[in-house]
Amino acid sequence: MNKILNNKLTEREYRQKTILDGALKSYHKNGVDGITMDNIAQESDFGKATIYYYFHSKEDIICSLMQEGWQNLWESVEEMVIEKISSREKFVKILNKMAEKVFENKILYEFLFTIPRHINIPESKAAWKVFQKRTYATMQSIVDEGISSGDFADIKPELFMKAIGGIFHGIVFMGDQKPIHEKDIESLISNFIYPS
């Protein structure tokens, strides 16, 4: 009985993942306007009835992709937050891990950075914001600790976070390039955040 239940769950997860992948392919080929149920069905090789069985609307598909991206980003760095290392080392290490995640699935993260400017999702459906806010708050707290300890220059935190956002937009939108490494991040931000 458990084996049958596990097989059904595995099949359900597989179909949901295939549909979400189809939505990303549709976005990648046609932009935000190309995310239609017809295009998603075509890209995932399922009928529209199957799409609607797993997701009630295009909005649900978009929310699932947002959730996947932000949750994966947060979970990739969650353990690093409590490491007993300097704020500077922790910050660079976390940024590096986040850059790796973004680089591994650039289409998903391009989608994450692009879609909120084009589609208004009600707050009640925006479950991914829990992970987004947690990620930003954690990075902010590391910066605050770094300023207090003298690891970072005394800079305006909001300006600093915008600069970090710019780094990630560059990773996503600057085309094919090599993965970024800790030494690259260190170099990118050293003059900006480290006291002279």
Side-chain angles (χ1 to χ4, degrees), residues 32-181:
V32 174
D33 294 335
I35 307 171
T36 65
M37 293 304 256
D38 286 328
N39 285 347
I40 293 168
Q42 182 179 346
E43 292 296 337
S44 61
D45 206 24
F46 288 130
K48 275 172 66 175
T50 302
I51 308 289
Y52 279 111
Y53 177 79
Y54 290 102
F55 297 95
H56 295 113
S57 65
K58 177 176 87 168
E59 189 177 77
D60 286 348
I61 293 172
I62 289 169
C63 288
S64 291
L65 286 168
M66 296 291 287
Q67 176 82 14
E68 176 186 333
W70 279 108
Q71 187 170 349
N72 286 346
L73 202 58
W74 167 251
E75 289 176 354
S76 72
V77 301
E78 188 175 13
E79 292 297 317
M80 296 178 188
V81 172
I82 58 172
E83 283 188 40
K84 302 288 187 206
I85 55 178
S86 73
S87 298
R88 175 177 171 159
E89 290 172 291
K90 187 181 295 187
F91 190 81
V92 170
K93 191 173 180 180
I94 287 173
L95 275 185
N96 185 62
K97 178 52 87 173
M98 291 170 74
E100 283 175 10
K101 283 306 259 187
V102 169
F103 197 85
E104 283 170 12
N105 197 342
K106 287 171 68 171
I107 296 170
L108 174 63
Y109 287 97
E110 178 185 332
F111 176 87
L112 256 63
F113 294 147
T114 302
I115 209 75
R117 293 191 304 263
H118 297 278
I119 295 175
N120 189 18
I121 304 291
E123 199 68 31
S124 61
K125 287 191 157 195
W128 74 83
K129 287 192 175 182
V130 169
F131 296 102
Q132 182 185 50
K133 288 175 183 173
R134 195 177 294 167
T135 303
Y136 288 147
T138 298
M139 297 305 286
Q140 185 65 60
S141 70
I142 294 169
V143 170
D144 292 342
E145 286 171 17
I147 291 171
S148 294
S149 68
D151 278 346
F152 300 157
D154 191 3
I155 54 175
K156 291 183 179 178
E158 62 277 1
L159 177 64
F160 178 67
M161 292 307 283
K162 284 182 182 178
I164 298 309
I167 291 170
F168 282 98
H169 276 84
I171 293 168
V172 170
F173 294 111
M174 289 180 64
D176 293 331
Q177 77 262 34
K178 295 177 183 173
I180 197 164
H181 299 288

